[in-house]
PDB file of all heavy atoms in Angstrom:
ATOM      1  N   ARG A 101     146.324 -45.346 -95.247  1.00 94.00           N
ATOM      2  CA  ARG A 101     145.092 -44.976 -95.771  1.00 94.00           C
ATOM      3  C   ARG A 101     144.704 -43.584 -95.140  1.00 94.00           C
ATOM      4  O   ARG A 101     144.129 -42.752 -95.946  1.00 94.00           O
ATOM      5  CB  ARG A 101     144.110 -45.997 -95.248  1.00 94.00           C
ATOM      6  CG  ARG A 101     142.706 -45.790 -95.733  1.00 94.00           C
ATOM      7  CD  ARG A 101     141.846 -46.960 -95.456  1.00 94.00           C
ATOM      8  NE  ARG A 101     141.993 -47.625 -94.174  1.00 94.00           N
ATOM      9  CZ  ARG A 101     141.348 -47.134 -93.112  1.00 94.00           C
ATOM     10  NH1 ARG A 101     140.611 -46.070 -93.178  1.00 94.00           N
ATOM     11  NH2 ARG A 101     141.486 -47.711 -91.948  1.00 94.00           N
ATOM     12  N   GLU A 109     141.772 -39.910-104.574  1.00 91.00           N
ATOM     13  CA  GLU A 109     142.620 -40.924-105.242  1.00 91.00           C
ATOM     14  C   GLU A 109     141.890 -42.469-104.907  1.00 91.00           C
ATOM     15  O   GLU A 109     141.402 -42.595-103.886  1.00 91.00           O
ATOM     16  CB  GLU A 109     143.991 -41.023-104.584  1.00 91.00           C
ATOM     17  CG  GLU A 109     144.893 -39.946-105.058  1.00 91.00           C
ATOM     18  CD  GLU A 109     146.337 -40.249-104.623  1.00 91.00           C
ATOM     19  OE1 GLU A 109     146.472 -39.864-103.464  1.00 91.00           O
ATOM     20  OE2 GLU A 109     147.170 -40.485-105.415  1.00 91.00           O
ATOM     21  N   VAL A 110     142.116 -43.197-105.947  1.00 91.00           N
ATOM     22  CA  VAL A 110     141.625 -44.692-105.746  1.00 91.00           C
ATOM     23  C   VAL A 110     142.548 -45.274-104.727  1.00 91.00           C
ATOM     24  O   VAL A 110     143.822 -45.066-104.810  1.00 91.00           O
ATOM     25  CB  VAL A 110     141.758 -45.381-107.158  1.00 91.00           C
ATOM     26  CG1 VAL A 110     141.042 -46.766-106.925  1.00 91.00           C
ATOM     27  CG2 VAL A 110     141.020 -44.581-108.164  1.00 91.00           C
ATOM     28  N   ARG A 111     141.912 -46.168-103.890  1.00 92.00           N
ATOM     29  CA  ARG A 111     142.784 -46.871-103.042  1.00 92.00           C
ATOM     30  C   ARG A 111     142.159 -48.253-102.710  1.00 92.00           C
ATOM     31  O   ARG A 111     140.959 -48.495-102.947  1.00 92.00           O
ATOM     32  CB  ARG A 111     142.904 -46.070-101.629  1.00 92.00           C
ATOM     33  CG  ARG A 111     141.558 -46.018-100.908  1.00 92.00           C
ATOM     34  CD  ARG A 111     141.688 -45.035 -99.782  1.00 92.00           C
ATOM     35  NE  ARG A 111     141.547 -43.656-100.370  1.00 92.00           N
ATOM     36  CZ  ARG A 111     141.594 -42.523 -99.588  1.00 92.00           C
ATOM     37  NH1 ARG A 111     141.791 -42.634 -98.339  1.00 92.00           N
ATOM     38  NH2 ARG A 111     141.531 -41.321-100.167  1.00 92.00           N
ATOM     39  N   THR A 112     142.870 -49.021-102.003  1.00 94.00           N
ATOM     40  CA  THR A 112     142.403 -50.394-101.581  1.00 94.00           C
ATOM     41  C   THR A 112     142.281 -50.359-100.081  1.00 94.00           C
ATOM     42  O   THR A 112     142.846 -49.567 -99.468  1.00 94.00           O
ATOM     43  CB  THR A 112     143.289 -51.492-102.157  1.00 94.00           C
ATOM     44  OG1 THR A 112     144.603 -51.352-101.622  1.00 94.00           O
ATOM     45  CG2 THR A 112     143.223 -51.552-103.546  1.00 94.00           C
ATOM     46  N   GLU A 113     141.549 -51.215 -99.546  1.00 94.00           N
ATOM     47  CA  GLU A 113     141.344 -51.220 -98.155  1.00 94.00           C
ATOM     48  C   GLU A 113     141.057 -52.784 -97.793  1.00 94.00           C
ATOM     49  O   GLU A 113     140.565 -53.542 -98.469  1.00 94.00           O
ATOM     50  CB  GLU A 113     140.137 -50.377 -97.802  1.00 94.00           C
ATOM     51  CG  GLU A 113     139.909 -50.130 -96.376  1.00 94.00           C
ATOM     52  CD  GLU A 113     138.721 -49.264 -96.129  1.00 94.00           C
ATOM     53  OE1 GLU A 113     137.951 -49.002 -97.151  1.00 94.00           O
ATOM     54  OE2 GLU A 113     138.411 -48.985 -95.053  1.00 94.00           O
ATOM     55  N   LEU A 114     141.523 -53.024 -96.557  1.00 95.00           N
ATOM     56  CA  LEU A 114     141.414 -54.304 -96.017  1.00 95.00           C
ATOM     57  C   LEU A 114     140.054 -54.434 -95.297  1.00 95.00           C
ATOM     58  O   LEU A 114     139.686 -53.571 -94.481  1.00 95.00           O
ATOM     59  CB  LEU A 114     142.390 -54.594 -94.991  1.00 95.00           C
ATOM     60  CG  LEU A 114     142.736 -56.089 -94.658  1.00 95.00           C
ATOM     61  CD1 LEU A 114     143.187 -56.831 -95.931  1.00 95.00           C
ATOM     62  CD2 LEU A 114     143.787 -56.225 -93.582  1.00 95.00           C
ATOM     63  N   ARG A 115     139.221 -55.389 -95.631  1.00 95.00           N
ATOM     64  CA  ARG A 115     137.852 -55.407 -94.995  1.00 95.00           C
ATOM     65  C   ARG A 115     137.611 -56.970 -94.514  1.00 95.00           C
ATOM     66  O   ARG A 115     138.210 -57.920 -94.925  1.00 95.00           O
ATOM     67  CB  ARG A 115     136.873 -55.095 -96.081  1.00 95.00           C
ATOM     68  CG  ARG A 115     137.044 -53.674 -96.555  1.00 95.00           C
ATOM     69  CD  ARG A 115     135.757 -53.295 -97.168  1.00 95.00           C
ATOM     70  NE  ARG A 115     135.778 -51.785 -97.388  1.00 95.00           N
ATOM     71  CZ  ARG A 115     134.677 -51.103 -97.659  1.00 95.00           C
ATOM     72  NH1 ARG A 115     133.489 -51.671 -97.901  1.00 95.00           N
ATOM     73  NH2 ARG A 115     134.807 -49.734 -97.762  1.00 95.00           N
TER      74      ARG A 115
ATOM     75  N   GLU B 144     139.749 -54.794-100.750  1.00 93.00           N
ATOM     76  CA  GLU B 144     138.822 -54.305-101.765  1.00 93.00           C
ATOM     77  C   GLU B 144     139.207 -52.904-102.230  1.00 93.00           C
ATOM     78  O   GLU B 144     139.789 -52.128-101.532  1.00 93.00           O
ATOM     79  CB  GLU B 144     137.441 -54.133-100.936  1.00 93.00           C
ATOM     80  CG  GLU B 144     136.641 -55.401-100.953  1.00 93.00           C
ATOM     81  CD  GLU B 144     135.330 -55.190-100.291  1.00 93.00           C
ATOM     82  OE1 GLU B 144     134.684 -54.140-100.470  1.00 93.00           O
ATOM     83  OE2 GLU B 144     134.919 -56.063 -99.505  1.00 93.00           O
ATOM     84  N   ARG B 145     138.958 -52.674-103.446  1.00 92.00           N
ATOM     85  CA  ARG B 145     139.156 -51.316-104.067  1.00 92.00           C
ATOM     86  C   ARG B 145     137.976 -50.467-103.696  1.00 92.00           C
ATOM     87  O   ARG B 145     136.839 -50.798-104.099  1.00 92.00           O
ATOM     88  CB  ARG B 145     139.321 -51.545-105.500  1.00 92.00           C
ATOM     89  CG  ARG B 145     139.484 -50.250-106.362  1.00 92.00           C
ATOM     90  CD  ARG B 145     139.817 -50.526-107.789  1.00 92.00           C
ATOM     91  NE  ARG B 145     140.995 -51.309-107.799  1.00 92.00           N
ATOM     92  CZ  ARG B 145     142.221 -50.699-108.092  1.00 92.00           C
ATOM     93  NH1 ARG B 145     142.283 -49.421-108.219  1.00 92.00           N
ATOM     94  NH2 ARG B 145     143.311 -51.417-108.062  1.00 92.00           N
ATOM     95  N   VAL B 146     138.190 -49.391-103.030  1.00 88.00           N
ATOM     96  CA  VAL B 146     137.129 -48.549-102.610  1.00 88.00           C
ATOM     97  C   VAL B 146     137.079 -47.306-103.408  1.00 88.00           C
ATOM     98  O   VAL B 146     138.170 -46.774-103.895  1.00 88.00           O
ATOM     99  CB  VAL B 146     137.217 -48.210-101.118  1.00 88.00           C
ATOM    100  CG1 VAL B 146     137.095 -49.438-100.236  1.00 88.00           C
ATOM    101  CG2 VAL B 146     138.454 -47.437-100.750  1.00 88.00           C
ATOM    102  N   PRO B 147     135.962 -46.802-103.722  1.00 83.00           N
ATOM    103  CA  PRO B 147     135.854 -45.615-104.506  1.00 83.00           C
ATOM    104  C   PRO B 147     136.425 -44.418-103.710  1.00 83.00           C
ATOM    105  O   PRO B 147     136.426 -44.477-102.559  1.00 83.00           O
ATOM    106  CB  PRO B 147     134.313 -45.270-104.716  1.00 83.00           C
ATOM    107  CG  PRO B 147     133.683 -46.091-103.599  1.00 83.00           C
ATOM    108  CD  PRO B 147     134.641 -47.274-103.325  1.00 83.00           C
ATOM    109  N   PRO B 148     136.982 -43.433-104.411  1.00 76.00           N
ATOM    110  CA  PRO B 148     137.540 -42.236-103.810  1.00 76.00           C
ATOM    111  C   PRO B 148     136.499 -41.632-102.755  1.00 76.00           C
ATOM    112  O   PRO B 148     135.313 -41.626-103.202  1.00 76.00           O
ATOM    113  CB  PRO B 148     137.878 -41.325-104.956  1.00 76.00           C
ATOM    114  CG  PRO B 148     137.877 -42.078-106.107  1.00 76.00           C
ATOM    115  CD  PRO B 148     137.015 -43.387-105.849  1.00 76.00           C
ATOM    116  N   GLU B 149     136.891 -41.123-101.702  1.00 64.00           N
ATOM    117  CA  GLU B 149     136.034 -40.440-100.771  1.00 64.00           C
ATOM    118  C   GLU B 149     135.483 -39.183-101.380  1.00 64.00           C
ATOM    119  O   GLU B 149     136.173 -38.332-101.954  1.00 64.00           O
ATOM    120  CB  GLU B 149     136.743 -40.097 -99.431  1.00 64.00           C
ATOM    121  CG  GLU B 149     137.207 -41.459 -98.742  1.00 64.00           C
ATOM    122  CD  GLU B 149     137.724 -41.113 -97.396  1.00 64.00           C
ATOM    123  OE1 GLU B 149     137.880 -39.903 -97.118  1.00 64.00           O
ATOM    124  OE2 GLU B 149     138.104 -42.140 -96.649  1.00 64.00           O
TER     125      GLU B 149
END
Side-chain angles (χ1 to χ4, degrees):
Chain A
R101 183 165 47 79
E109 279 187 289
V110 187
R111 70 192 75 180
T112 58
E113 190 179 4
L114 201 62
R115 297 203 166 188
Chain B
E144 281 184 34
R145 175 173 301 263
V146 298
E149 296 186 354

